[in-house]
Every structure is written in C-alpha cells, then in structure tokens.
Amino acid sequence: MNGEKALIIHQLHKTYAGDVIALKQVDLEVEKGDFFALLGPNGAGKSTLIGILSSLVNKTSGQVHVFGHDIDKHPAAVRKMIGLVPQEFNFNVFESVANIVMTSAGYHGIKRSVAAERTERYLKLLDLWDKRSAAARTLSGGMKRRLMIARALVHEPGLLILDEPTAGVDIEIRRSMWDFLRKLNEEEGKTIILTTHYLEEAESLCRNVAVINHGEIIEQGSVARLLSRAMTQTFVFDIEQPAKATGHQALGDGIQLKFMDDQLEAEIPTGVPLDSVLDFLRKENIQVNSMRAKSNRLETFFLQLVDQD
Amino acid sequence: MLALNLTAFRTIVRKEIRRFMRIWVQTITPPAINALLYLVIFGGLIGSRISEMGGVSYLTFIMPGIIMMGIIMNSYANVSSSFFSGKFQRSIEEMLVSPVSNLTILLGFITGGVCRGLLVGFIVAVVALGFTQTVPAHPLITLLVATMASVVFSLGGLINAVLARSFDDISIIPNFVLTPLTYLGGIFFSIELLSGFWQAIAKLNPILYMINGFRFGILGSSDIPLLHTFVVLLLFILFLGSIAMRMLSTGKGIKG
C-alpha cells in the first residue's frame, strides 16, 4: 500500500498498433491533496496517460497505483477513486443535464435518493441547476464543460483528473472554474491533476508540475522550483515615439534589447533586476506608455524545455 | 460489489428504456405498422385465397412469425444502435471509467434489448388480435421462447456494435443477414412444403427454430420439436454471450 500518494506510476509504457510509442517507461508520483499539472505539446502522451489512469486505454506494461490500489489487481477500487473530465464532450447529448449526472452516479452504485441530492448539490455549485431539465445539446460550450465536472464529482472521488478543462471557454468562465477547482483542492482536499495548454492556468493553480514530451517525462517538480530555473523572462515596453536605436543591443548582465517601431522587448535573465533597463530608458529619453510580460514565466521555461528535448 | 452492480444494472436498464421510449415514433410504431400491413396483405388479402397451413387458417399460421420477426429485429436494433451511438458520442466512456463490471454492462444492454423486443412483440400481438382471436396455447413456453430469442439477438446486436466503425456497419447484418433468414425461417410457410433437400438446408437456419418454437407456444403445433428450439436458443446464448464478454473484457473496438 502507498497510502500517502494519490498516484504512483512506475515504468508505464504504451505502444499503439503500428508500433507507435505513446509513452516510454514513465515514472510519476502525485501526493495526496496536490494540485498537479501535466504539461506537454500536442501528441506528447498526456491524453494516453490520462486514458490509462481512467481505464479508457489499455497499457502495454508498467504499474499504476491510485491511493495504494493496483490498477491491474483492483480496477474497480481505482475507478471509484477517479473522477474524469475528458477533453472532448462524451455524454449523450439528447439526455437531460440532471439525467446525465444521475446516470453516472448509478454506474458508481450510488442509490437514487443519494444521487439526486448530490446531483442537486453539484449542479447548483456549477451554476447548472436552472438547466437541469434541458437536453445537453442545448448547452453552451462552457456549460457542457461544467456539466462534465459535475458528472465527475457526483461519486465524490479522491482524485479528479481534468484534461484541458478550460479549452474553448471564455475568460470569465475560465476564472470561475479556476476558483471552483481551487476550493475543491483547498477546502475539500481533493487531489487534482490537470493537463492544460494555458500555462498561466498551471502557474496560477498548481503546486507541482510534470512536463511530458515524446512520451517521456522530461521535467518534474514544484512550480516554484521550475520557475526559479526559468532562464530568462521577456518584457514588452510600449513606447511613445520610435527609439533612435534599431535592431538588437546588449545591456550588460545578459540583458538583450530588441527595438521595433513603437515597442521595445527586453529579455532579462532570471534574478537580474529591471533597474538597468529602466535606467537605459530614462537616459535615452524614451517615454514608456505601458509595460507587460511577453509570456508567463512557466511558458518561457516550458518552451525552453521542449526545444531542448 | 453486488449492491454496486445491482444499482448500475438498474441504471443501464432505465437508461435503455428511456432511450427507446423517447424516440417511440422510430422504435415502437414502425413494427406495429409493418405487422398491420403484413396481416392485411398476406393474411387478409392473399391468405383468404389459401385454404389452410399447418392445420390452421393462413392468417393464424403467419401471426406467430410476424410477432417473432418484430421481437428479433427490435431486440437487435435496440442494442446495436444504442451501443454504437454510445461509442460514436463516446458516452460509453461514462460506463468504462466507472467500477461497473463487464457482466453488468452486458446484462444491462441485453435487458434493454429484451424490453424493447417484448414490448414490440406485445404491441404486434395486440394488432394481430384484431385479425385472429388466437389465445396462446402454452403462454409460458411462448414467453420463454420470445425472451430467449430476444436475448440471442440482443447479444448479436451488441457484438455488431462493438465491431462496427460506422452507422453503415450496424445496418449490414439486419439488411443482408437477419431479414433474409427471418423470411426464410418459416414465417409465411411450413417447411413441410419444401422438398427433402431444401428442408435440410432450411434446418440450418437458426431463426426457423425460434419461429417454430414460438408458433408451438401460440398454436400448440410446429414443424420442429420444441426441445430442438430450446437447444438452439441455449447454444446461441452461450456462444454469443461468451464472445460479447470476451470483447468487453479485452476492450476490443471500445478502448484505445
């Protein structure tokens, strides 16, 4: 038994028909109560990994333990503990919202009276109660995503797995989903694993992260530790008038400036203060209208990792 | 685990019944209309020019076969279309990620198919009562043969749906295998009309045994000994059931 770990993956390997290798001897551990991000470009193996955890994909070899239960020896116990929110909508679009959640509860052996209470609770929490009698096909994209979250929670799993949960939803809904997931993790102690293309999402929500590429885990650790290893960060300054200088200019301490018409990009190594860039702007009489980070730090680090790989 | 699977079983059956009742115009009414047409045209119009068959009027003779045809076709169609729609919409994944056992999934879908098959059979029987006031001679045998035949074709529908990759694939078997075998299975004629060679060929058709077993239940007479009907039904249930269980266990056609 590995009681303290929500998930232990050891030497997990998956080869699809045609000798396509999706996962290569993957090792991964997720602590109980963690908020964990699995990052990787398209085709990296994220969905295959999640598919194996949730019994939708047969593994080729390796071991998986969920809250101490072996996925081969106790598949039913593992499935009880996992709630899956897949990337694509996978419910009967002709069913009503409440029936979809109730049916999922039934598959988990939850009696109808209890299932009805939980359905009401989660549909209310996810702002779908008013839509309970509507056919799922009539919901907006954001509502459909929230419906899949309600369905994944109705059997009250210890581990919630979300595969790109906010793909295609607008910013307002994305933020409200973030708040909801944060509460689930902090107040109810649910272990959450999510894959996402929005690295801001991982940086904002997650404590630990693994980066997967070409079926291999190429980096794993706390978000804070990975960010400290990010080598550079790029800032964009919107300037009042085009600068006299053009092209690239080095500023010392490894700072690189890139001049464009009404913008200046400053690439600054981690740990180097912005002061020398601000001093330079003052000295050159360059008036700055606004400033922003070009990409978030995790994104920069992620791209560096994937490029190296 | 037993309690979990009982609840899950009830959930699957409820979902299946809800599905075919929601689209009753497509699932329940066409077989009733078909039966009405068969009885009017073959039984009433043409049948009135035929004296007797199997010792009863032609209309009475064809009635059990027409009911059985409804049961067979609808049991098959219910499971094949429901399971394949689940694959197509990926809603089958809801079941696969849950702790419900493969046997429960199989029994749930088969029971759904049997419910629709028997409901259609009942409706067709009610329609037939308007033409011939025949009361089943052996009600329990009638019900048992109908239920077992419905199980056989529900299993066939599930296997077809697991192997199918498109909606076309689930219409091939009903159109090119089931319909010809059903028509050649003695709905409209007694195999005693056939020569020895063709009788031997006809006896290779498993549907012949089901229709004749059902006819025995209703009319009290049949071309085939009742024991043969039950042996064929049982063998098919065991054979198709083990194939279906194997498919669900390996995830062939369902899992990645």
Side-chain angles (χ1 to χ4, degrees):
Chain A
M1 295 283 282
N2 301 289
E4 293 308 301
K5 303 279 185 191
L7 176 67
I8 299 175
I9 294 174
H10 180 63
Q11 294 289 294
L12 186 62
H13 193 85
K14 173 65 185 177
T15 306
Y16 284 110
D19 290 333
V20 178
I21 298 174
L23 294 175
K24 296 177 196 164
Q25 319 300 341
V26 167
D27 290 316
L28 188 70
E29 291 191 356
V30 177
E31 297 287 337
K32 189 178 172 186
D34 199 358
F35 206 138
F36 192 94
L38 189 61
L39 305 178
N42 285 334
K46 303 187 296 292
S47 292
T48 297
L49 183 61
I50 285 176
I52 291 171
L53 298 183
S54 52
S55 309
L56 293 175
V57 175
N58 291 326
K59 64 185 169 63
T60 305
S61 62
Q63 287 97 48
V64 176
H65 288 84
V66 178
F67 293 109
H69 294 283
D70 188 320
I71 203 169
D72 296 319
K73 290 178 187 159
H74 307 111
V78 168
R79 289 177 203 170
K80 267 186 179 180
M81 293 182 175
I82 292 178
L84 175 70
V85 181
Q87 201 175 125
E88 290 175 37
F89 304 127
N90 69 342
F91 42 76
N92 185 340
V93 294
F94 301 105
E95 282 278 13
S96 73
V97 168
N99 269 342
I100 287 169
V101 181
M102 289 282 290
T103 300
S104 181
Y107 294 156
H108 284 82
I110 298 164
K111 286 184 178 168
R112 275 181 79 76
S113 56
V114 180
E117 283 170 22
R118 290 192 193 171
T119 298
E120 182 175 346
R121 179 178 173 228
Y122 286 108
L123 289 183
K124 281 181 175 169
L125 276 172
L126 285 149
D127 281 335
L128 286 170
W129 184 240
D130 291 345
K131 295 280 181 185
R132 63 189 177 280
S133 303
R137 68 176 188 278
T138 63
L139 301 183
S140 68
M143 286 176 180
K144 285 175 179 165
R145 295 240 168 250
R146 282 183 279 147
L147 169 58
M148 292 204 295
I149 294 176
R151 185 186 61 180
L153 289 171
V154 76
H155 63 283
E156 306 200 326
L159 172 61
L160 182 65
I161 300 175
L162 304 111
D163 196 2
E164 310 260 357
T166 55
V169 301
D170 64 39
I171 294 167
E172 194 183 349
I173 292 171
R174 190 185 305 161
R175 297 278 170 182
S176 74
M177 279 168 73
W178 287 7
D179 289 341
F180 180 77
L181 293 175
R182 238 184 239 117
K183 271 187 192 167
L184 270 183
N185 177 250
E186 290 169 5
E187 293 173 16
E188 296 191 23
K190 287 226 189 296
T191 309
I192 299 179
I193 297 175
L194 67 83
T195 73
T196 179
H197 272 139
Y198 301 109
L199 297 168
E200 182 196 359
E201 190 162 87
E203 190 174 344
S204 167
L205 290 173
C206 302
R207 285 188 284 283
N208 289 293
V209 61
V211 180
I212 187 168
N213 198 22
H214 303 307
E216 291 177 291
I217 302 286
I218 55 173
E219 190 64 54
Q220 190 177 346
S222 72
V223 171
R225 187 177 71 81
L226 260 61
L227 288 176
S228 72
R229 288 185 50 205
M231 288 175 282
T232 60
Q233 190 174 15
T234 304
F235 290 92
V236 180
F237 296 87
D238 295 312
I239 52 183
E240 184 65 36
Q241 288 169 338
K244 289 170 201 160
T246 55
H248 294 262
Q249 186 174 329
L251 205 62
D253 290 335
I255 296 173
Q256 292 288 330
L257 299 179
K258 183 181 171 188
F259 293 94
M260 289 165 283
D261 285 346
D262 50 2
Q263 278 187 340
L264 167 66
E265 278 187 14
E267 194 179 292
I268 301 168
T270 302
V272 172
L274 268 172
D275 293 2
S276 49
V277 178
L278 299 175
D279 287 346
F280 169 82
L281 293 169
R282 235 176 271 122
K283 202 172 95 187
E284 293 290 316
N285 269 331
I286 298 174
Q287 193 180 335
V288 176
N289 290 332
S290 63
M291 183 194 99
R292 65 185 183 279
K294 186 176 181 185
S295 59
N296 72 2
R297 292 174 300 160
L298 191 59
E299 189 165 307
T300 308
F301 184 57
F302 172 76
L303 291 172
Q304 286 164 359
L305 276 175
V306 173
D307 285 347
Q308 282 166 16
D309 193 52
Chain B
M1 280 309 280
L2 183 65
L4 183 154
N5 282 303
L6 271 175
T7 305
F9 171 76
R10 280 197 292 266
T11 303
I12 297 170
V13 174
R14 198 177 289 120
K15 173 183 75 75
E16 287 300 289
I17 293 174
R18 200 166 55 228
R19 190 194 76 88
F20 74 69
M21 290 308 288
R22 187 173 54 228
I23 48 172
W24 62 272
V25 174
Q26 298 169 43
T27 54
I28 307 295
T29 48
I33 292 168
N34 279 347
L36 185 68
L37 291 171
Y38 280 124
L39 291 165
V40 168
I41 295 166
F42 291 100
L45 298 177
I46 300 173
S48 61
R49 293 169 185 271
I50 300 170
S51 56
E52 276 192 348
M53 194 166 290
V56 291
S57 74
Y58 187 66
L59 183 70
T60 305
F61 179 84
I62 66 169
M63 185 261 282
I66 288 169
I67 297 173
M68 185 52 102
M69 182 163 66
I71 293 171
I72 287 173
M73 292 298 185
N74 283 278
S75 304
Y76 194 93
N78 197 68
V79 183
S80 64
S81 61
S82 174
F83 199 90
F84 186 74
S85 296
K87 264 175 65 172
F88 187 75
Q89 293 191 68
R90 301 178 66 168
S91 58
I92 198 84
E93 291 177 359
E94 292 176 333
M95 249 175 260
L96 301 177
V97 302
S98 76
V100 57
S101 71
N102 290 326
L103 181 62
T104 307
I105 293 175
L106 182 67
L107 291 176
F109 273 98
I110 299 314
T111 307
V114 170
C115 287
R116 175 166 153 196
L118 294 186
L119 177 64
V120 166
F122 176 75
I123 291 170
V124 173
V126 169
V127 171
L129 275 178
F131 294 84
T132 167
Q133 284 70 49
T134 306
V135 178
H138 307 287
L140 282 179
I141 290 172
T142 307
L143 188 62
L144 191 58
V145 172
T147 306
M148 288 176 80
S150 187
V151 169
V152 169
F153 288 95
S154 295
L155 284 166
L158 189 131
I159 293 167
N160 189 176
V162 170
L163 295 173
R165 292 185 176 180
S166 68
F167 279 101
D168 286 346
D169 292 345
I170 58 167
S171 64
I172 288 172
I173 300 288
N175 289 337
F176 296 104
V177 180
L178 286 189
T179 304
L181 286 182
T182 307
Y183 278 80
L184 295 170
I187 296 178
F188 298 106
F189 59 90
S190 164
I191 57 163
E192 285 177 3
L193 296 179
L194 303 174
S195 65
F197 172 76
W198 289 109
Q199 268 197 36
I201 295 290
K203 283 180 179 174
L204 295 175
N205 178 1
I207 294 176
L208 177 83
Y209 295 82
M210 300 174 199
I211 289 173
N212 274 281
F214 193 68
R215 183 173 285 137
F216 177 85
I218 293 182
L219 304 181
S221 64
S222 141
D223 292 343
I224 303 284
L226 187 63
L227 181 66
H228 293 189
T229 295
F230 282 117
V231 169
V232 167
L233 282 167
L234 202 59
L235 286 177
F236 267 90
I237 288 172
L238 292 174
F239 177 63
L240 297 178
S242 58
I243 291 175
M245 270 305 288
R246 174 96 187 128
M247 284 175 154
L248 291 176
S249 303
T250 58
K252 183 179 167 61
I254 310 166
K255 291 187 182 184

